[in-house]
Coordinates of all heavy atoms in Angstrom, one line a residue:
M1 N -17.0 -16.5 -21.1 CA -16.0 -16.7 -20.1 C -16.4 -15.7 -18.9 O -16.6 -14.5 -19.2 CB -14.6 -16.4 -20.6 CG -13.5 -16.8 -19.7 SD -11.9 -16.5 -20.5 CE -11.5 -18.1 -20.9
A2 N -16.4 -16.2 -17.7 CA -16.8 -15.4 -16.6 C -15.6 -14.5 -16.2 O -14.4 -15.0 -16.2 CB -17.2 -16.2 -15.4
K3 N -15.9 -13.3 -15.8 CA -14.8 -12.4 -15.3 C -14.5 -12.7 -13.9 O -15.4 -12.9 -13.1 CB -15.3 -10.9 -15.4 CG -14.7 -10.2 -16.5 CD -15.1 -8.7 -16.4 CE -14.3 -7.9 -17.4 NZ -14.7 -6.5 -17.4
K4 N -13.2 -12.7 -13.6 CA -12.8 -12.8 -12.2 C -12.7 -11.5 -11.5 O -12.0 -10.6 -12.0 CB -11.4 -13.5 -12.2 CG -10.9 -13.8 -10.8 CD -9.5 -14.5 -10.9 CE -9.0 -14.6 -9.5 NZ -7.6 -15.1 -9.5
T5 N -13.5 -11.3 -10.5 CA -13.4 -10.0 -9.7 C -12.5 -10.1 -8.5 O -12.5 -11.1 -7.8 CB -14.8 -9.6 -9.3 OG1 -15.3 -10.6 -8.4 CG2 -15.7 -9.4 -10.4
E6 N -11.7 -9.2 -8.4 CA -10.8 -9.1 -7.3 C -11.2 -8.1 -6.2 O -11.9 -7.1 -6.6 CB -9.3 -8.8 -7.7 CG -8.7 -9.8 -8.6 CD -7.2 -9.5 -8.8 OE1 -6.6 -8.8 -8.1 OE2 -6.7 -10.1 -9.8
N7 N -10.9 -8.4 -5.0 CA -11.2 -7.4 -3.9 C -10.4 -6.2 -4.1 O -9.3 -6.2 -4.5 CB -11.0 -8.1 -2.6 CG -11.9 -9.2 -2.3 OD1 -13.0 -9.3 -2.9 ND2 -11.5 -10.1 -1.4
K8 N -10.9 -5.1 -3.7 CA -10.2 -3.8 -3.7 C -9.9 -3.4 -2.3 O -10.7 -3.6 -1.4 CB -11.1 -2.7 -4.4 CG -11.5 -3.0 -5.8 CD -10.5 -2.5 -6.7 CE -11.0 -2.6 -8.2 NZ -10.1 -2.1 -9.1
I9 N -8.7 -2.8 -2.2 CA -8.3 -2.3 -0.8 C -7.8 -0.9 -1.0 O -7.3 -0.5 -2.0 CB -7.2 -3.2 -0.2 CG1 -6.0 -3.3 -1.1 CG2 -7.7 -4.5 0.2 CD1 -4.8 -4.0 -0.5
K10 N -8.0 -0.1 0.0 CA -7.6 1.3 0.1 C -6.4 1.4 1.0 O -6.5 1.0 2.2 CB -8.7 2.2 0.5 CG -8.4 3.7 0.6 CD -9.6 4.5 1.0 CE -9.2 5.9 1.2 NZ -10.4 6.7 1.7
V11 N -5.3 1.9 0.5 CA -4.1 2.0 1.3 C -3.8 3.5 1.6 O -3.8 4.3 0.6 CB -2.9 1.4 0.5 CG1 -1.6 1.4 1.4 CG2 -3.2 0.0 0.1
T12 N -3.6 3.8 2.9 CA -3.4 5.2 3.2 C -2.1 5.3 4.0 O -1.8 4.5 4.9 CB -4.5 5.7 4.2 OG1 -5.8 5.5 3.5 CG2 -4.3 7.2 4.5
L13 N -1.2 6.2 3.6 CA 0.1 6.5 4.3 C -0.2 7.3 5.6 O -0.7 8.4 5.5 CB 1.0 7.2 3.4 CG 2.4 7.4 3.9 CD1 3.1 6.1 4.1 CD2 3.2 8.3 3.0
V14 N 0.1 6.7 6.8 CA -0.3 7.4 8.0 C 1.0 7.7 8.8 O 0.9 8.5 9.8 CB -1.2 6.5 8.9 CG1 -2.6 6.4 8.2 CG2 -0.6 5.2 9.2
K15 N 2.2 7.3 8.4 CA 3.4 7.6 9.1 C 4.4 8.1 8.1 O 4.5 7.5 7.0 CB 3.9 6.4 9.9 CG 5.1 6.7 10.8 CD 5.5 5.5 11.6 CE 6.7 6.0 12.5 NZ 7.5 4.8 12.7
S16 N 5.3 9.0 8.5 CA 6.3 9.5 7.6 C 7.3 8.5 7.2 O 7.6 7.6 8.0 CB 7.0 10.7 8.2 OG 8.0 11.2 7.4
T17 N 7.9 8.6 6.0 CA 8.9 7.6 5.6 C 10.3 8.1 5.9 O 11.3 7.5 5.5 CB 8.8 7.4 4.0 OG1 9.0 8.7 3.4 CG2 7.5 6.8 3.7
I18 N 10.4 9.2 6.7 CA 11.8 9.7 7.0 C 12.6 8.7 7.8 O 13.7 8.5 7.5 CB 11.6 11.0 7.8 CG1 11.1 12.1 6.9 CG2 13.0 11.4 8.4 CD1 10.8 13.4 7.7
S19 N 11.9 8.0 8.7 CA 12.7 7.0 9.6 C 12.6 5.6 9.0 O 13.1 4.7 9.6 CB 12.1 7.1 11.0 OG 10.7 6.6 10.9
A20 N 12.0 5.5 7.8 CA 11.9 4.1 7.2 C 13.2 3.7 6.5 O 14.0 4.5 6.1 CB 10.7 4.1 6.3
L21 N 13.3 2.4 6.3 CA 14.4 1.9 5.5 C 14.3 2.3 4.1 O 13.2 2.5 3.6 CB 14.4 0.4 5.6 CG 14.6 -0.3 7.0 CD1 14.4 -1.8 6.9 CD2 16.0 0.1 7.5
P22 N 15.4 2.4 3.4 CA 15.3 2.8 2.0 C 14.5 1.9 1.1 O 13.8 2.4 0.2 CB 16.8 2.8 1.5 CG 17.6 3.0 2.8 CD 16.8 2.4 3.8
Q23 N 14.5 0.6 1.4 CA 13.7 -0.3 0.6 C 12.2 -0.1 0.9 O 11.4 -0.2 0.0 CB 14.1 -1.7 0.9 CG 13.3 -2.8 0.2 CD 13.6 -4.2 0.5 OE1 14.3 -4.4 1.5 NE2 13.1 -5.1 -0.2
H24 N 11.9 0.3 2.1 CA 10.5 0.5 2.4 C 10.0 1.8 1.8 O 8.8 2.0 1.4 CB 10.3 0.6 3.9 CG 10.5 -0.7 4.6 ND1 10.4 -1.0 5.9 CD2 10.9 -1.9 4.1 CE1 10.6 -2.2 6.2 NE2 11.0 -2.8 5.1
R25 N 10.9 2.8 1.6 CA 10.5 4.1 0.9 C 10.2 3.8 -0.5 O 9.3 4.4 -1.1 CB 11.7 5.1 1.0 CG 11.9 5.6 2.4 CD 13.1 6.6 2.3 NE 13.5 6.9 3.7 CZ 14.5 7.7 4.0 NH1 15.3 8.2 3.0 NH2 14.9 7.9 5.2
K26 N 11.0 2.9 -1.1 CA 10.7 2.5 -2.5 C 9.4 1.8 -2.6 O 8.6 2.0 -3.6 CB 11.8 1.6 -3.0 CG 13.1 2.4 -3.2 CD 14.2 1.5 -3.7 CE 15.5 2.2 -3.9 NZ 16.6 1.3 -4.3
I27 N 9.0 1.0 -1.7 CA 7.7 0.3 -1.7 C 6.6 1.3 -1.6 O 5.6 1.2 -2.3 CB 7.7 -0.8 -0.6 CG1 8.6 -1.9 -0.8 CG2 6.3 -1.3 -0.4 CD1 8.8 -2.9 0.3
V28 N 6.7 2.3 -0.7 CA 5.7 3.3 -0.6 C 5.5 4.0 -1.9 O 4.4 4.3 -2.3 CB 6.1 4.3 0.6 CG1 5.2 5.5 0.6 CG2 6.0 3.6 1.9
A29 N 6.6 4.4 -2.5 CA 6.5 5.1 -3.8 C 5.9 4.2 -4.9 O 5.1 4.6 -5.7 CB 7.9 5.5 -4.3
A30 N 6.2 2.9 -4.9 CA 5.6 1.9 -5.8 C 4.1 1.8 -5.7 O 3.4 1.5 -6.6 CB 6.3 0.6 -5.7
L31 N 3.7 2.0 -4.5 CA 2.2 1.9 -4.2 C 1.5 3.2 -4.6 O 0.3 3.3 -4.6 CB 1.9 1.6 -2.7 CG 2.2 0.2 -2.3 CD1 2.1 0.0 -0.8 CD2 1.3 -0.8 -3.0
G32 N 2.3 4.2 -5.0 CA 1.7 5.5 -5.4 C 1.4 6.4 -4.3 O 0.7 7.4 -4.5
L33 N 2.0 6.2 -3.1 CA 1.8 7.1 -2.0 C 2.9 8.1 -1.9 O 4.0 7.8 -1.9 CB 1.7 6.3 -0.7 CG 0.6 5.1 -0.7 CD1 0.8 4.3 0.5 CD2 -0.7 5.7 -0.8
K34 N 2.5 9.4 -1.8 CA 3.5 10.5 -1.8 C 3.6 11.2 -0.5 O 4.7 11.4 0.0 CB 3.3 11.4 -3.0 CG 3.4 10.7 -4.3 CD 3.3 11.7 -5.5 CE 3.4 10.9 -6.8 NZ 3.5 11.7 -7.9
K35 N 2.5 11.7 -0.1 CA 2.5 12.5 1.1 C 1.7 11.8 2.2 O 1.0 10.9 2.0 CB 1.8 13.9 0.9 CG 2.6 14.7 -0.1 CD 1.9 16.1 -0.3 CE 2.7 16.9 -1.3 NZ 2.1 18.3 -1.4
L36 N 1.8 12.3 3.5 CA 1.0 11.8 4.5 C -0.5 11.9 4.2 O -0.9 12.9 3.6 CB 1.3 12.5 5.9 CG 2.6 12.1 6.6 CD1 2.7 12.9 7.8 CD2 2.5 10.7 6.9
N37 N -1.2 10.9 4.6 CA -2.7 10.8 4.4 C -3.1 10.7 3.0 O -4.2 10.8 2.6 CB -3.4 12.0 5.1 CG -3.2 12.0 6.6 OD1 -3.3 10.9 7.2 ND2 -3.0 13.1 7.1
S38 N -2.1 10.4 2.1 CA -2.5 10.1 0.7 C -3.0 8.7 0.6 O -2.5 7.8 1.3 CB -1.3 10.4 -0.3 OG -0.3 9.5 0.0
S39 N -3.9 8.5 -0.3 CA -4.6 7.1 -0.4 C -4.6 6.7 -1.9 O -4.7 7.5 -2.8 CB -6.0 7.2 0.1 OG -6.0 7.5 1.5
K40 N -4.5 5.4 -2.1 CA -4.7 4.8 -3.4 C -5.5 3.5 -3.2 O -5.5 2.8 -2.2 CB -3.3 4.4 -4.0 CG -2.5 5.5 -4.4 CD -3.0 6.0 -5.7 CE -2.1 7.1 -6.3 NZ -2.5 7.5 -7.6
I41 N -6.3 3.2 -4.3 CA -7.1 2.0 -4.3 C -6.4 1.0 -5.2 O -6.0 1.3 -6.3 CB -8.5 2.2 -4.7 CG1 -9.2 3.2 -3.7 CG2 -9.3 0.9 -4.9 CD1 -10.6 3.6 -4.0
H42 N -6.1 -0.2 -4.7 CA -5.4 -1.3 -5.4 C -6.3 -2.6 -5.4 O -7.1 -2.8 -4.5 CB -4.1 -1.6 -4.8 CG -3.1 -0.5 -4.9 ND1 -2.4 -0.2 -6.1 CD2 -2.6 0.4 -4.0 CE1 -1.6 0.8 -5.9 NE2 -1.7 1.2 -4.7
N43 N -6.0 -3.4 -6.4 CA -6.5 -4.8 -6.3 C -5.8 -5.6 -5.2 O -4.6 -5.4 -5.1 CB -6.4 -5.5 -7.7 CG -7.3 -4.9 -8.7 OD1 -8.3 -4.4 -8.4 ND2 -6.8 -4.9 -10.0
A44 N -6.5 -6.4 -4.5 CA -5.9 -7.2 -3.4 C -5.3 -8.4 -4.0 O -5.7 -9.5 -3.7 CB -6.9 -7.4 -2.4
N45 N -4.2 -8.3 -4.7 CA -3.5 -9.5 -5.2 C -2.3 -9.8 -4.3 O -2.0 -9.0 -3.4 CB -3.1 -9.4 -6.7 CG -2.2 -8.2 -6.9 OD1 -1.5 -7.7 -6.1 ND2 -2.3 -7.6 -8.1
E46 N -1.6 -10.9 -4.6 CA -0.5 -11.3 -3.8 C 0.6 -10.3 -3.7 O 1.3 -10.1 -2.7 CB 0.0 -12.7 -4.2 CG -1.0 -13.8 -4.0 CD -0.5 -15.1 -4.5 OE1 0.7 -15.2 -4.9 OE2 -1.3 -16.1 -4.6
A47 N 1.0 -9.7 -4.9 CA 2.1 -8.8 -4.9 C 1.8 -7.5 -4.0 O 2.7 -7.1 -3.3 CB 2.3 -8.4 -6.4
I48 N 0.6 -7.0 -4.2 CA 0.2 -5.8 -3.4 C 0.2 -6.1 -1.9 O 0.7 -5.4 -1.1 CB -1.1 -5.2 -3.9 CG1 -1.0 -4.8 -5.3 CG2 -1.6 -4.1 -3.0 CD1 -0.1 -3.6 -5.6
L49 N -0.4 -7.3 -1.6 CA -0.5 -7.6 -0.1 C 0.9 -7.9 0.5 O 1.1 -7.6 1.6 CB -1.4 -8.9 0.0 CG -2.9 -8.7 -0.3 CD1 -3.6 -10.0 -0.3 CD2 -3.5 -7.6 0.5
G50 N 1.8 -8.4 -0.3 CA 3.2 -8.6 0.2 C 3.9 -7.3 0.4 O 4.6 -7.2 1.4
M51 N 3.6 -6.3 -0.5 CA 4.2 -5.0 -0.3 C 3.7 -4.3 1.0 O 4.4 -3.7 1.8 CB 4.0 -4.1 -1.5 CG 4.7 -4.6 -2.7 SD 4.1 -3.9 -4.3 CE 4.5 -2.2 -4.1
I52 N 2.4 -4.5 1.2 CA 1.7 -3.9 2.3 C 2.2 -4.6 3.6 O 2.4 -3.9 4.6 CB 0.2 -4.0 2.2 CG1 -0.3 -3.0 1.1 CG2 -0.5 -3.6 3.5 CD1 -1.7 -3.2 0.7
N53 N 2.4 -5.9 3.6 CA 2.9 -6.6 4.7 C 4.3 -6.0 5.2 O 4.6 -5.9 6.4 CB 3.0 -8.1 4.4 CG 3.3 -8.9 5.6 OD1 2.9 -8.5 6.7 ND2 3.9 -10.0 5.5
K54 N 5.1 -5.7 4.2 CA 6.5 -5.2 4.5 C 6.4 -3.8 5.2 O 7.2 -3.5 6.1 CB 7.3 -5.0 3.3 CG 7.8 -6.3 2.7 CD 9.3 -6.4 2.9 CE 9.8 -7.6 2.2 NZ 11.1 -7.9 2.6
I55 N 5.5 -3.0 4.8 CA 5.4 -1.6 5.3 C 4.1 -1.4 6.2 O 3.6 -0.3 6.2 CB 5.4 -0.6 4.2 CG1 4.3 -0.7 3.2 CG2 6.8 -0.6 3.5 CD1 4.1 0.4 2.3
S56 N 3.7 -2.4 6.9 CA 2.5 -2.3 7.7 C 2.6 -1.3 8.8 O 1.5 -0.8 9.2 CB 2.2 -3.7 8.3 OG 3.2 -4.1 9.1
Y57 N 3.8 -0.9 9.2 CA 3.9 0.1 10.3 C 3.7 1.5 9.7 O 3.7 2.5 10.5 CB 5.2 -0.1 11.0 CG 6.4 0.2 10.1 CD1 7.1 1.4 10.2 CD2 6.9 -0.8 9.3 CE1 8.2 1.7 9.4 CE2 8.0 -0.6 8.5 CZ 8.7 0.7 8.6 OH 9.8 0.9 7.8
L58 N 3.7 1.7 8.4 CA 3.5 3.0 7.8 C 2.2 3.3 7.2 O 1.8 4.4 7.0 CB 4.5 3.1 6.6 CG 6.0 3.1 7.0 CD1 6.8 3.1 5.7 CD2 6.4 4.3 7.8
V59 N 1.4 2.2 7.0 CA 0.1 2.4 6.3 C -1.1 1.8 7.0 O -0.9 1.1 8.0 CB 0.2 1.7 4.9 CG1 1.2 2.3 4.0 CG2 0.4 0.2 5.0
K60 N -2.3 2.3 6.6 CA -3.5 1.8 7.1 C -4.3 1.2 5.9 O -4.3 1.8 4.8 CB -4.4 2.9 7.7 CG -5.7 2.5 8.2 CD -6.4 3.7 8.9 CE -7.0 4.6 7.9 NZ -7.9 5.6 8.4
V61 N -4.9 0.0 6.1 CA -5.5 -0.7 5.0 C -7.0 -0.9 5.3 O -7.3 -1.3 6.4 CB -4.9 -2.0 4.7 CG1 -5.5 -2.8 3.6 CG2 -3.4 -1.9 4.5
E62 N -7.9 -0.5 4.3 CA -9.3 -0.7 4.4 C -9.8 -1.5 3.2 O -9.3 -1.3 2.1 CB -10.0 0.6 4.5 CG -9.5 1.5 5.6 CD -10.1 2.9 5.4 OE1 -11.0 3.1 4.6 OE2 -9.6 3.8 6.1
N63 N -10.8 -2.3 3.4 CA -11.5 -2.9 2.3 C -12.5 -1.9 1.7 O -13.1 -1.1 2.3 CB -12.3 -4.1 2.8 CG -11.4 -5.3 3.1 OD1 -10.4 -5.5 2.5 ND2 -11.9 -6.1 4.1
V64 N -12.6 -2.0 0.3 CA -13.5 -1.1 -0.4 C -14.5 -1.9 -1.1 O -14.3 -3.0 -1.5 CB -12.7 -0.3 -1.5 CG1 -13.6 0.6 -2.2 CG2 -11.6 0.6 -0.8

């Protein structure tokens, strides 16, 4: 059986969550981002991309 490879993306928090909505703060925490300029690498699946779409004003996304 062939393995399905997913694209990887690097998500970096570039704006503070102080002025963000409480739901958006929870999304940032769920992505594993804690401090400014912290980064995490995630699989580019529909759930992660939906979360990033909601908080696009707080993060920077790069393909890995």
Side-chain angles (χ1 to χ4, degrees):
M1 194 179 253
K3 253 187 173 178
K4 182 180 175 185
T5 59
E6 293 189 17
N7 294 336
K8 300 270 187 180
I9 54 173
K10 180 178 178 182
V11 184
T12 306
L13 185 64
V14 293
K15 187 176 178 210
S16 174
T17 58
I18 291 174
S19 62
L21 296 172
Q23 182 182 7
H24 292 183
R25 290 181 193 173
K26 290 179 183 177
I27 293 172
V28 169
L31 287 172
L33 304 172
K34 296 184 180 190
K35 296 182 177 183
L36 280 179
N37 297 318
S38 63
S39 298
K40 287 287 184 170
I41 296 176
H42 292 283
N43 290 329
N45 58 29
E46 293 178 11
I48 297 294
L49 293 176
M51 292 163 67
I52 291 170
N53 191 29
K54 286 251 186 192
I55 60 166
S56 61
Y57 65 100
L58 295 174
V59 296
K60 179 176 77 170
V61 181
E62 303 170 12
N63 287 328
V64 177

